[in-house]
Amino acid sequence: MTAVAETIAALRAQVQAWRSEGLRVALVPTMGALHDGHISLVRTALERADRCVVSIFVNPRQFAPTEDLDKYPRQLVQDLTRLAEAGAHLAFTPDVGEVYPEGFATSISVGGPSAGLETAFRPAFFDGVATVVGKLFIQVTPDVAVFGEKDYQQLCVVRKLCLDLNLPVEIIGAPTIRDAEGLAMSSRNAYLGADELKIAQKLNKVLRKAAAALEAGSDEQATMAAARQEILDAGFDELDYVEARASLTLAPWQRDREGRVLVAARLGKTRLIDNVEIAAS
Ligand code: PAF
């Protein structure tokens, strides 16, 4: 059974009890609608710590008014069953008023890796993420926290947040879990119809081809232009970006250095993001 804490006070009491026994605590922050990708984060957390807290909170501050906050899948009962099966110890499930009480007026803004990519299309997104993650780190005081590499820019922003604010949390980036066709697991995949799913499954193939071309020495601009065309030809309605960036800093990618090809593309009402590694040659 996974215990549930709905309040910060209950969460803190449990974490303090563990600390008094000398146990190491891991945090996996989520917005719920848990899939195999999340469960793999829980497994990673359990390898690194004695106790695993999973937060489930659909964070309104990281959604623009035009985005899918109301529609975002919420399935707490199933999530708790999956967490119990995975062996998570505590689910932290605060409501919006617990996290952002009336009059809440503080925001954390991380520069550096938050520039461009997602921010060009979702300007308030990383302030919302950094604010809630900062609060979760203060509430849970985890030794380690696990984030998926699927949200690669988010992972870089969280690492920078910890570095700049000297937060004593080890950040682990866990590999993206994919379906048999390579589609990255995402709670938003639930929005995809059968035909859209087939198109979505092509995204990762285009990225892998682009990364392999860059590793083999192809021209960056030409490779990205080809990837752009292939994504649109595959049936995506709109391409927000496909770019090569340096790992961690997300500065412009430099040949022979480790990097990532990152993409965001829209299919009907669904926006998909993904990224793959460019190995250093
Ligand atoms: O990746 C997510 O699900 C969210 O952005 C996070 C890290 C839980 C913050 O709300």
Side-chain angles (χ1 to χ4, degrees):
M1 260 276 285
T2 303
V4 177
E6 292 179 354
T7 63
I8 297 163
L11 166 76
R12 285 200 164 133
Q14 178 59 86
V15 172
Q16 257 165 28
W18 290 334
R19 291 248 174 262
S20 66
E21 294 175 57
L23 298 173
R24 265 173 72 79
V25 178
L27 170 67
V28 178
T30 81
M31 298 205 300
L34 303 180
H35 50 65
D36 290 350
H38 294 111
I39 299 306
S40 85
L41 305 184
V42 173
R43 288 208 192 94
T44 302
L46 289 168
E47 284 164 15
R48 305 282 185 138
D50 306 298
R51 294 290 180 269
C52 174
V53 179
V54 178
S55 59
I56 298 180
F57 177 63
V58 182
N59 174 30
R61 293 175 81 95
Q62 67 190 72
F63 288 78
T66 50
E67 290 179 343
D68 55 347
L69 175 63
D70 294 337
K71 212 169 86 166
Y72 197 85
R74 288 163 173 89
Q75 45 181 59
L76 187 59
V77 175
Q78 284 115 294
D79 286 352
L80 292 177
T81 306
R82 292 218 67 180
L83 290 182
E85 284 162 7
H89 298 88
L90 184 68
F92 177 45
T93 61
D95 64 17
V96 174
E98 183 72 5
V99 179
Y100 302 120
E102 185 81 30
F104 184 87
T106 299
S107 176
I108 303 179
S109 187
V110 179
S114 69
L117 302 170
E118 285 300 290
T119 300
F121 297 88
R122 309 176 74 192
F125 177 68
F126 286 120
D127 287 0
V129 169
T131 302
V132 81
V133 169
K135 279 176 72 80
L136 286 166
F137 284 176
I138 291 164
Q139 292 158 358
V140 181
T141 62
D143 297 286
V144 347
V146 187
F147 291 81
E149 281 184 351
K150 192 205 132 224
D151 298 287
Y152 189 77
Q153 191 177 13
Q154 170 173 278
L155 173 62
C156 298
V157 168
V158 170
R159 285 192 194 284
K160 186 79 177 126
L161 167 77
C162 286
L163 190 71
D164 286 358
L165 296 186
N166 310 104
L167 300 179
V169 185
E170 185 191 353
I171 305 299
I172 311 287
T176 303
I177 303 297
R178 301 180 180 280
D179 75 4
E181 294 296 322
L183 175 65
M185 298 270 173
S186 163
S187 304
R188 289 189 169 100
N189 291 353
Y191 303 152
L192 296 170
D195 292 346
E196 289 176 333
L197 184 66
K198 289 209 178 80
I199 296 169
Q201 285 169 332
K202 295 182 186 162
L203 192 59
N204 181 255
K205 296 181 177 75
V206 176
L207 289 194
R208 278 193 283 125
K209 186 173 160 197
L214 294 175
E215 286 166 6
S218 298
D219 175 71
E220 183 182 342
Q221 267 199 337
T223 306
M224 289 304 123
R228 222 167 278 138
Q229 195 54 54
E230 283 169 29
I231 290 165
L232 294 173
D233 291 347
F236 281 87
D237 297 309
E238 248 177 279
L239 176 60
D240 283 355
Y241 59 81
V242 56
E243 287 185 38
R245 294 285 188 102
S247 295
L248 290 177
T249 61
L250 297 181
W253 175 68
Q254 291 186 325
R255 185 158 297 287
D256 306 331
R257 300 274 177 86
E258 234 182 59
R260 289 267 160 178
V261 182
L262 302 105
V263 71
R266 293 174 197 262
L267 189 50
K269 293 195 176 88
T270 315
R271 185 172 182 275
L272 298 170
I273 63 168
D274 198 357
N275 67 90
V276 300
E277 187 183 1
I278 311 164
S281 45

